[in-house]
Amino acid sequence: CRTPPRPYVTAIDIEGLREVDPDDIEDGLSTAESPRLFGLFEGVLEYSLYDRNVLARDLQRIERALRARGYYEAKVTSARVVFEDAYAVKIRIRVHEGRPVRVRRIEPGLSRLPFDVMLDANGAREMADGDVFEGERFEADKARIERVLRDEGYAFATVDAKARVDIAERAADVRYEIELGRRARYGPVKFVGLSEIPEGPVRANLELEEGAIYNESDVEDAQRALVNLGVFSTVEVVPDRSRPETGVVPILVRVRESSLHTVRLGGGARFDVLGLATQLQAGWEHRNFLGGLRTFRVDTRPAV
């Protein structure tokens, strides 16, 4: 093992957590345990060096991470750096987790939505009364509600999510304010980047028709369909939601064509008591043969 330039970290122990998994907290730290080869040997792969300034920032990260998980009273009470020898250090961090802030009430703000949309949007929420108030789940619920609205054609809908946290009462009140806007339809679909490949078959695979009701999931499916054609190195299907007053969402499709011709060469040999055998593999493929995205392939395997 090579000698490290300065002390390295052999272990990090976070003590005092009852509900939060310490591994989840450690994953977000810059200070990390040095990796071990086969879980046994240190210094073979690399060292994770100890830096007290980095550790000080990590202690602040621990408190922020716990607050984001609803533990607003959480505080790092101590941090010890134990030198096992001249180079190896073990870090022990003590945390007071405290009691979590829980959701007291949720005002979903869905009453003005059409009944079927209201049911879907309400079902998209995962956070409920009595749950620990977690910032990530709060933001994720907002994104899920927006997604439901856009899948129902409301491309210009906005969801304003607000949370009022009462630390003294350890309670959070959540409110969603929704501006539905007009139900949108697809506008013109424009392609950028097509050269050898004809537009017709690509447009047919896209399956987004001008004038149809907008659906965000269909836009994502369209992008995957173009990727699966295997003729583009990059694909972007971009909805333009910049003009909500029109109720129309134009679609821009940016592509970069990959090479349509592929030559494959390979071979192998086998030698044993019975003799020597060799084999060659060769092939040629065209993924836009005679236009229309037809695939034509020729393979041959001469052998001796």
Side-chain angles (χ1 to χ4, degrees):
C1 298
R2 54 193 173 86
T3 303
R6 63 176 189 268
Y8 66 95
V9 181
T10 61
I12 300 176
D13 294 326
I14 300 179
E15 304 170 348
L17 296 178
R18 301 185 306 275
E19 301 297 330
V20 179
D21 188 342
D23 290 340
D24 293 341
I25 302 300
E26 288 180 23
D27 289 343
L29 303 182
S30 296
T31 304
E33 297 181 2
S34 297
R36 297 170 180 258
L37 183 63
F38 306 124
L40 299 173
F41 305 105
E42 293 176 342
V44 178
L45 301 174
E46 61 179 335
Y47 289 104
S48 176
L49 301 179
Y50 164 67
D51 185 315
R52 66 178 183 177
N53 294 321
V54 172
L55 177 60
R57 290 192 291 270
D58 278 336
L59 300 182
Q60 297 174 356
R61 290 189 181 100
I62 291 173
E63 292 183 352
R64 288 197 299 268
L66 289 170
R67 289 178 189 133
R69 287 167 170 78
Y71 292 83
Y72 284 76
E73 297 176 342
K75 189 172 183 60
V76 174
T77 57
S78 66
R80 296 178 57 201
V81 179
V82 180
F83 278 81
E84 298 178 308
D85 57 38
Y87 288 100
V89 301
K90 179 181 291 185
I91 298 174
R92 293 176 177 169
I93 300 170
R94 186 74 185 175
V95 177
H96 171 68
E97 188 180 64
R99 292 168 59 187
V101 169
R102 296 188 177 275
V103 178
R104 181 164 51 194
R105 76 172 63 87
I106 297 177
E107 298 179 31
L110 307 177
S111 58
R112 292 186 298 168
L113 302 184
F115 183 72
D116 56 339
V117 179
M118 178 184 68
L119 292 179
D120 291 341
N122 196 51
R125 289 189 299 105
E126 291 188 356
M127 189 178 292
D129 293 353
D131 287 354
V132 175
F133 177 76
E134 299 181 45
E136 289 185 1
R137 290 184 67 195
F138 171 66
E139 293 295 333
D141 277 354
K142 172 187 173 182
R144 279 189 284 266
I145 292 172
E146 285 182 340
R147 181 55 180 264
V148 166
L149 300 179
R150 290 178 179 174
D151 280 352
E152 292 289 344
Y154 298 96
F156 308 109
T158 59
V159 179
D160 184 15
K162 299 178 180 179
R164 181 178 176 274
V165 177
D166 187 336
I167 297 178
E169 295 291 331
R170 300 187 185 89
D173 297 324
V174 177
R175 179 180 177 83
Y176 298 97
E177 297 178 358
I178 298 174
E179 290 294 333
L180 201 57
R182 298 174 59 179
R183 204 171 192 199
R185 296 182 179 273
Y186 294 116
V189 179
K190 180 181 178 181
F191 291 86
V192 175
L194 292 177
S195 177
E196 293 187 59
I197 299 174
E199 181 180 306
V202 179
R203 186 179 289 274
N205 277 273
L206 200 65
E207 295 186 349
L208 299 179
E209 297 183 5
E210 183 175 354
I213 295 295
Y214 179 86
N215 184 300
E216 189 124 314
S217 292
D218 288 348
V219 173
E220 294 180 357
D221 289 344
Q223 178 160 314
R224 282 191 289 268
L226 296 192
V227 171
N228 292 337
L229 290 176
V231 296
F232 300 117
S233 58
T234 61
V235 176
E236 285 184 286
V237 180
V238 184
D240 180 3
R241 294 191 292 266
S242 62
R243 299 183 64 188
E245 70 279 1
T246 66
V248 175
V249 182
I251 303 294
L252 176 63
V253 182
R254 296 194 194 98
V255 297
R256 178 177 295 174
E257 296 178 354
S258 57
S259 176
L260 301 176
H261 310 272
T262 303
V263 177
R264 296 185 299 277
L265 291 174
R270 187 184 76 249
F271 179 72
D272 54 30
V273 295
L274 299 178
L276 172 66
T278 63
Q279 180 175 317
L280 175 67
Q281 294 181 349
W284 178 82
E285 182 181 51
H286 193 306
R287 289 188 292 277
N288 190 34
F289 186 69
L290 300 178
L293 294 179
R294 300 177 182 87
T295 298
F296 179 74
R297 176 183 298 172
V298 178
D299 290 297
T300 181
R301 297 185 180 183
V304 177

